[in-house]
Amino acid sequence: MSSAPEIRPFTVEFSEADLSDLRARIEATRFPEKETVTDQSQGTQLATIQELARYWAEEYDWRKVEAKLNSYPQFITEIDGLDIHFLHVRSKHEDALPLIVTHGWPGSVVEQLKIIEPLTNPTAHGGDAADAFHVIIPSMPGYGFSGKPDAKGWDPKRIARAWGELMSRLGYTKYAAQGGDWGAIVTDLMGAQEPDGLVGIHTNMPGVIPANIDGALAKGDPLPEGLSLSDEEQAAVEQLDFVYRHVYYAYIMGSRPQSLTALADSPVGLAAFMLDHDAASLALITRAFDGVSEGLSRDDVLDNITLFWLTNTGVSAARLYAENTTPFFGVNNVKLPVAVSVFPDELYQAPKSWAEQAYPNLVHYNRLPKGGHFAAWEQPETLVNEVRTGLRSLR
């Protein structure tokens, strides 16, 4: 008889030699000339990346986030032939609802560190014991401390199936799922697959765009004739049109990930590429390196980039875009209960009308006054409240 798959304890530990090599590479950076415009239309601006590099080499302390990660129980287990790393933080409240939280790109488990304690220990963070969650945060394949696939096939659908297996392996017979960015797509697909025990999902980047609209926007074609759109829907169309015309990083990673070898060779090159995810996030991070912290600090940003550098996952993470065949914002036929939180600086603000069509069992929809694409990272208190409220009826 074969034994149950092993779940192995894991500790983050990089050598001083690794950190010295990082600093040396930062200090040896050859920068390009200044951009020829006065805004961010050409990407990460020279002044921002130079200040990032200076702070990274002279003041930043990786050991702080390493200690934070190691303050939580971490594990690795093999699923479908690949090692999967995850944090598993149980609440002291035994009736807590298990919750698997999935990050996106250019993210990692670092994105969710701020929400762990409020979710697991609500009585110490403005909530009540009935709001408690056991929190599981995996690193996606090719990201962080999870294994790097050496063959094609690890797409979001397979990741969603792996997460169902992970929750089963941990002994959870009733749980919920949450995610943003790629994590939203994986979470949506979990909702569609309905693994045993999954009772509902929460998303902060919902997949609700009608197929005829999404298809036209993705191809740059005119919208189908005869559409009658509300003001909210028209605004979403305009936002999505902008996204599809400007997510060049996704097209590069989706078609030529192996050509991004520079991401494995230059830490500052990796940083410049990772910062340029979307206009609102880039502006927020730029302000952070100008000395104005509005949810993300310099250390927050560099914690995540340094994790990518030390694990050499710039290219392996990029391959997820090449694997994907699921529309980024399209409908995935989720019948389970769904809670939706809409942040104003997200790539697009999902209209309630589309959310109701995409999710026939929509149990929560709320438009927030502040926050963007990396909600758990930027606005942890707001996201925690949304998760508590959105999933409360599923306990």
Side-chain angles (χ1 to χ4, degrees):
M1 176 187 281
S2 61
S3 60
E6 184 183 14
I7 297 176
R8 316 185 299 272
F10 178 81
T11 300
V12 180
E13 188 175 3
F14 290 98
S15 69
E16 280 300 318
D18 291 327
L19 300 181
S20 295
D21 175 69
L22 169 58
R23 284 189 291 271
R25 287 171 180 264
I26 295 168
E27 290 167 351
T29 301
R30 183 173 68 172
F31 291 96
E33 64 283 348
K34 186 178 185 298
E35 60 276 1
T36 57
V37 294
T38 57
D39 56 24
Q40 295 178 335
S41 59
Q42 292 184 353
T44 307
Q45 292 172 293
L46 180 63
T48 299
I49 201 64
Q50 285 182 323
E51 175 56 19
L52 179 150
R54 184 206 64 76
Y55 183 83
W56 204 0
E58 297 177 7
E59 299 183 44
Y60 173 73
D61 183 2
W62 161 257
R63 296 301 186 196
K64 289 181 180 180
V65 72
E66 187 174 84
K68 182 70 172 177
L69 285 164
N70 288 333
S71 73
Y72 297 118
Q74 298 177 82
F75 304 91
I76 286 182
T77 191
E78 184 180 311
I79 300 177
D80 199 7
L82 194 72
D83 275 349
I84 299 297
H85 162 264
F86 61 99
L87 283 73
H88 185 193
V89 188
R90 287 186 58 84
S91 173
K92 65 181 180 182
H93 303 290
E94 284 304 313
D95 290 335
L97 178 66
L99 179 71
I100 184 167
V101 183
T102 309
H103 66 80
W105 185 93
S108 66
V109 295
V110 165
E111 268 187 72
Q112 284 85 23
L113 292 180
K114 296 176 185 177
I115 66 173
I116 293 174
E117 290 169 31
L119 288 173
T120 57
N121 189 12
T123 54
H125 296 272
D128 139 331
D131 291 323
F133 293 88
H134 302 307
V135 175
I136 301 89
I137 308 174
S139 296
M140 289 198 297
Y143 288 69
F145 306 106
S146 283
K148 301 175 183 180
D150 59 7
K152 289 179 63 61
W154 274 98
D155 63 1
K157 294 177 183 177
R158 187 172 178 181
I159 296 171
R161 291 193 295 272
W163 282 191
E165 168 60 26
L166 174 61
M167 296 303 280
S168 174
R169 190 171 297 181
L170 293 174
Y172 291 127
T173 57
K174 178 182 180 181
Y175 66 93
Q178 196 284 327
D181 193 87
W182 278 121
I185 296 170
V186 170
T187 298
D188 240 31
L189 292 170
M190 289 183 73
Q193 293 170 5
E194 299 189 16
D196 290 345
L198 182 65
V199 295
I201 67 173
H202 175 275
T203 175
N204 52 282
M205 195 187 82
V208 304
I209 308 305
N212 59 340
I213 295 176
D214 190 50
L217 292 172
K219 295 175 183 176
D221 292 343
L223 293 183
E225 293 184 6
L227 285 180
S228 178
L229 301 176
S230 69
D231 290 345
E232 194 178 50
E233 292 166 348
Q234 182 60 42
V237 164
E238 292 169 4
Q239 291 162 343
L240 282 164
D241 182 58
F242 180 86
V243 168
Y244 278 124
R245 292 175 188 273
H246 292 86
V247 288
Y248 302 117
Y249 62 86
Y251 299 135
I252 294 169
M253 290 190 287
S255 60
R256 312 292 285 179
Q258 200 64 25
S259 293
L260 295 170
T261 299
L263 303 187
D265 185 62
S266 167
V268 174
L270 174 67
F273 188 75
M274 290 175 64
L275 295 192
D276 195 15
H277 177 276
D278 66 273
S281 297
L282 178 57
L284 179 71
I285 292 168
T286 298
R287 292 193 294 272
F289 282 97
D290 282 341
V292 181
S293 181
E294 301 170 315
L296 287 184
S297 69
R298 296 178 176 202
D299 282 1
D300 287 333
V301 174
L302 286 172
D303 289 344
N304 186 54
I305 296 171
T306 306
L307 178 59
F308 266 73
W309 174 261
L310 292 172
T311 55
N312 191 18
T313 47
V315 173
S316 58
R319 292 196 189 103
L320 183 56
Y321 285 84
E323 292 285 349
N324 183 54
T325 58
T326 301
F328 289 128
F329 313 110
V331 178
N332 289 302
N333 300 312
V334 180
K335 302 296 192 297
L336 291 177
V338 179
V340 169
S341 299
V342 179
F343 287 85
D345 289 330
E346 182 52 272
L347 299 180
Y348 83 104
Q349 283 74 66
K352 187 174 184 180
S353 57
W354 288 354
E356 290 171 336
Q357 293 170 28
Y359 302 125
N361 200 350
L362 184 69
V363 296
H364 173 82
Y365 174 95
N366 193 24
R367 295 174 74 97
L368 287 309
K370 185 177 183 180
H373 187 69
F374 303 100
W377 213 16
E378 300 172 36
Q379 301 295 328
E381 183 176 344
T382 300
L383 185 71
V384 166
N385 287 335
E386 282 293 291
V387 171
R388 289 174 181 170
T389 303
L391 300 178
R392 192 167 284 146
S393 65
L394 307 184
R395 291 179 177 275

